[in-house]
Amino acid sequence: MESLGGYPTKPSKRKEKVFTVLLSMTVGMGCLFILHTQLFKPTKQKDFYSFEVKDAKGRTVSLERYRGKASLVVNVASYSEHSEMNYRSLQELHRELGTSHFNVLAFPCGQFGETEPGSSPHIEAFAKSTYGITFPFFSKIKIMGSEADPAFKFLTDSVRKIPKWNFWKFLVNPEGNVVRFWRADEPIESVRQEASMLVREIILKRRGEEF
């Protein structure tokens, strides 16, 4: 379009400036929105089964394989005064409740004196040959201090207690949360009762879902 004098009308600099400001504000708001959603994006709550650990051979294992079952997680040792009594009782419990709904999960730890000096493969082999252990064995870990294994730290943080010695036991429900723990010298019968009750709940729930 031309003006009355025959010259082309020039775009208003004021309008251009307003448009530039609005465009900049729009881009800025968009960037802020993206940044906000990234920073404040809700994170999935961790549970025991969401962690990965190493098995006795050093291979990475996802604990997701145990989700939906009850797990009794134990920091074990080969040469503790509690070793024979606990290993035999744990194996009996593992066999009694069966792996369809329950597992004992053993994590060797060498932070308590000289009670666990061996390597992970040696520890597993010793437990199997000496006590006939069939439950899963994992890599030797630390459960105290800055190098504490994250999966085991989840257990100790959950109960706000750090084991003072070997063979502390943590009962984990099918959702991966700790429901109870026992010290090394507490009777295995108490562990059996609680674990059996949890297994019964799992069985009844599964039966209910089938109908």
Side-chain angles (χ1 to χ4, degrees), residues 77-89:
S78 301
Y79 303 107
S80 169
E81 69 274 24
H82 302 296
S83 295
E84 180 166 0
M85 176 188 68
N86 274 274
Y87 267 138
R88 296 197 185 282
S89 298

Side-chain angles (χ1 to χ4, degrees), residues 75 109 111-112 142-146 148 152-166 168-170 181-183:
N75 61 302
C109 177
Q111 289 184 292
F112 302 108
K142 292 182 178 180
I143 61 178
M144 299 183 294
S146 60
F152 215 95
K153 189 175 186 303
F154 171 82
L155 303 178
T156 57
D157 285 349
S158 295
V159 300
R160 298 181 181 179
K161 295 284 184 181
I162 296 177
K164 300 295 190 292
W165 201 244
N166 309 297
W168 278 43
K169 305 166 186 74
F170 300 81
F181 78 97
W182 295 265
R183 297 173 178 83

Side-chain angles (χ1 to χ4, degrees), residues 94-112:
H94 183 76
R95 184 176 59 249
E96 177 185 325
L97 296 182
T99 58
S100 295
H101 311 290
F102 173 84
N103 286 283
V104 173
L105 305 179
F107 287 83
C109 177
Q111 289 184 292
F112 302 108

Side-chain angles (χ1 to χ4, degrees), residues 96-206:
E96 177 185 325
L97 296 182
T99 58
S100 295
H101 311 290
F102 173 84
N103 286 283
V104 173
L105 305 179
F107 287 83
C109 177
Q111 289 184 292
F112 302 108
E114 297 299 319
T115 56
E116 192 60 283
S119 64
S120 300
H122 176 267
I123 295 165
E124 181 184 38
F126 176 82
K128 287 183 175 181
S129 62
T130 307
Y131 303 111
I133 299 305
T134 61
F135 48 76
F137 254 81
F138 298 94
S139 180
K140 186 176 176 179
I141 62 168
K142 292 182 178 180
I143 61 178
M144 299 183 294
S146 60
E147 297 181 73
D149 179 84
F152 215 95
K153 189 175 186 303
F154 171 82
L155 303 178
T156 57
D157 285 349
S158 295
V159 300
R160 298 181 181 179
K161 295 284 184 181
I162 296 177
K164 300 295 190 292
W165 201 244
N166 309 297
F167 292 100
W168 278 43
K169 305 166 186 74
F170 300 81
L171 184 61
V172 178
N173 67 14
E175 291 75 40
N177 299 309
V178 183
V179 294
R180 188 168 173 184
F181 78 97
W182 295 265
R183 297 173 178 83
D185 56 353
E186 293 186 83
I188 195 68
E189 188 54 39
S190 173
V191 182
R192 176 178 283 103
Q193 289 177 0
E194 292 287 337
S196 298
M197 287 175 57
L198 187 53
V199 168
R200 280 196 291 271
E201 289 177 10
I202 294 170
I203 294 172
L204 289 173
K205 182 179 179 180
R206 289 185 181 178

